Amino acid sequence: VRNGVLQVASDANLGLGRLVLDGGTLSATGDLTSARSVVVMANTGSITSSGSAIALSGAIDAGAALSIEANGGAISLTNTANDFRGFVNLAGGATQINAANSLTLGNIATGALTAVSGGALSLGQGSAASIDATSTSGAVVQGGAISVAGTTTISAAAGTGAITLNSTGNDFGSVVHLTGGTTEITDANALTLGNLATGDLTATSNGALSLGQGSAASINATSNNGTIVQSGPLAVAGTTMLNAGTGTITLTQGGHSFGGALGTTGGNTSIVAASGLTLSAGAVGGTLGLTSGGAITQTGALSVVGTSSFDATGAIALTDANNDFGAAVSLQGSSIAIRDRNDLTVSSLAN
């Protein structure tokens, strides 16, 4: 089909052989189900159905952009030998697409979207009812803002590939599960993370931020005055930086392990850790409550407006000369050392 529109009732009207698109459009008036191979030449191609579903089970060799529009029906492009070397635009209902190599989506407007690539995967821009995206050997990125109503699951190279979903216009309406290497994710509104298995994780929301549960090499979380919470234990090998602005920070479900320094900026802050806590510089605009399964130490000064409570099974050593505890401090540990650059009020002491 070259530079025009070929309209058919079904695949049977095409006769034998493969389908070649060279700047043209195949338009089906009903469902389009085909096992024939499809080739897209250098001048792009389009396949549309005014009926409903489009299911192409033959291999697709697309040397240029390909657009698939199913009038709200399901789209199935699941041959594992598919090779898309240009953008793939998708508009339809539940959508499945496989690629043997890299896959670059363009504009998307789909129901539940499942995308699997053998190389780098770009999720393009647009909207989906849900996203389940897997790159077996590459990074997962995006081309523009993505809006997802339901669950989002991202897996990049079995946990080693980078995930970069940092468009400021993103809106993830439900839980986001992440498995990858270095990971960045941004939401224009609230952001709820689910199961985590990442490298360095940077998460930014403009509302409530849930860090989910699981593991990360490090965490840098910013909620722009929203609350920061969790859904289960977090294991962080390196540093953890939590910035809730004026929002509260509540990480009190047991089992946390913070292997590096923990820094907090927020309102009322409460954290429970199964292991020791090393505090970097922090500013708490409300109350501070820290419980540690080991020692509590610091590498930077703490500034706390409200009351502070430190409960450790090990030693407590808060001796930075620039600490400023604005209200009463209660302490329980095997040994205790504390310093304040101003007046210090201790409400209770136990060791």
Side-chain angles (χ1 to χ4, degrees):
V1 183
R2 178 174 295 166
N3 299 325
V5 178
L6 174 62
Q7 188 174 77
V8 297
S10 68
D11 178 73
N13 299 126
L14 295 174
L16 302 176
R18 65 183 184 174
L19 170 66
V20 179
L21 299 172
D22 188 11
T25 298
L26 175 66
S27 177
T29 57
D31 292 353
L32 180 62
T33 300
S34 176
R36 73 182 67 240
S37 61
V38 177
V39 175
V40 180
M41 305 298 284
N43 291 323
T44 75
S46 298
I47 299 175
T48 68
S49 170
S50 58
S52 185
I54 294 177
L56 306 178
S57 59
I60 300 172
D61 182 9
L66 174 64
S67 296
I68 307 291
E69 184 174 348
N71 193 32
I75 298 172
S76 178
L77 312 173
T78 56
N79 192 302
T80 56
N82 288 339
D83 188 10
F84 302 100
R85 297 183 296 283
F87 289 101
V88 182
N89 302 310
L90 299 167
T95 297
Q96 297 176 279
I97 182 169
N98 283 35
N101 303 301
S102 298
L103 173 61
T104 301
L105 302 183
N107 297 318
I108 59 172
T110 71
L113 171 63
T114 301
V116 180
S117 70
L121 172 59
S122 174
L123 296 175
Q125 60 274 328
S127 62
S130 64
I131 291 180
D132 188 345
T134 301
S135 168
T136 60
S137 63
V140 177
V141 300
Q142 63 185 137
I146 296 172
S147 177
V148 187
T151 300
T152 300
T153 302
I154 308 292
S155 177
T160 62
I163 299 172
T164 308
L165 304 175
N166 57 7
S167 172
T168 57
N170 288 339
D171 186 11
F172 299 99
S174 188
V175 65
V176 182
H177 304 294
L178 299 167
T179 301
T182 300
T183 298
E184 297 180 65
I185 185 167
T186 299
D187 199 303
N189 301 297
L191 174 61
T192 302
L193 301 183
N195 297 321
L196 301 178
T198 72
D200 297 327
L201 171 63
T202 301
T204 304
S205 69
N206 286 277
L209 171 57
S210 173
L211 296 175
Q213 60 188 8
S215 62
S218 68
I219 291 180
N220 188 342
T222 303
S223 66
N224 289 294
N225 300 319
T227 61
I228 296 179
V229 297
Q230 61 175 120
S231 61
L234 295 169
V236 186
T239 59
T240 300
M241 301 299 294
L242 307 175
N243 187 346
T246 59
T248 60
I249 299 173
T250 307
L251 305 180
T252 55
Q253 296 191 35
H256 293 314
S257 175
F258 299 102
L262 170 66
T264 59
T265 299
N268 293 339
T269 297
S270 183
I271 298 173
V272 177
S275 59
L277 285 174
T278 300
L279 308 177
S280 60
V284 177
T287 61
L288 174 63
L290 298 178
T291 301
S292 167
I296 297 178
T297 61
Q298 66 182 147
T299 60
L302 291 175
S303 174
V304 185
V305 172
T307 59
S308 300
S309 172
F310 301 95
D311 186 346
T313 60
I316 296 175
L318 303 174
T319 56
D320 191 289
N322 290 311
N323 287 338
D324 186 10
F325 299 101
V329 181
S330 65
L331 304 120
Q332 179 170 321
S334 62
S335 64
I336 296 169
I338 188 168
R339 186 172 180 179
D340 196 308
R341 71 184 184 188
N342 299 302
D343 294 339
L344 175 62
T345 301
V346 176
S347 59
S348 66
L349 188 65
N351 59 11

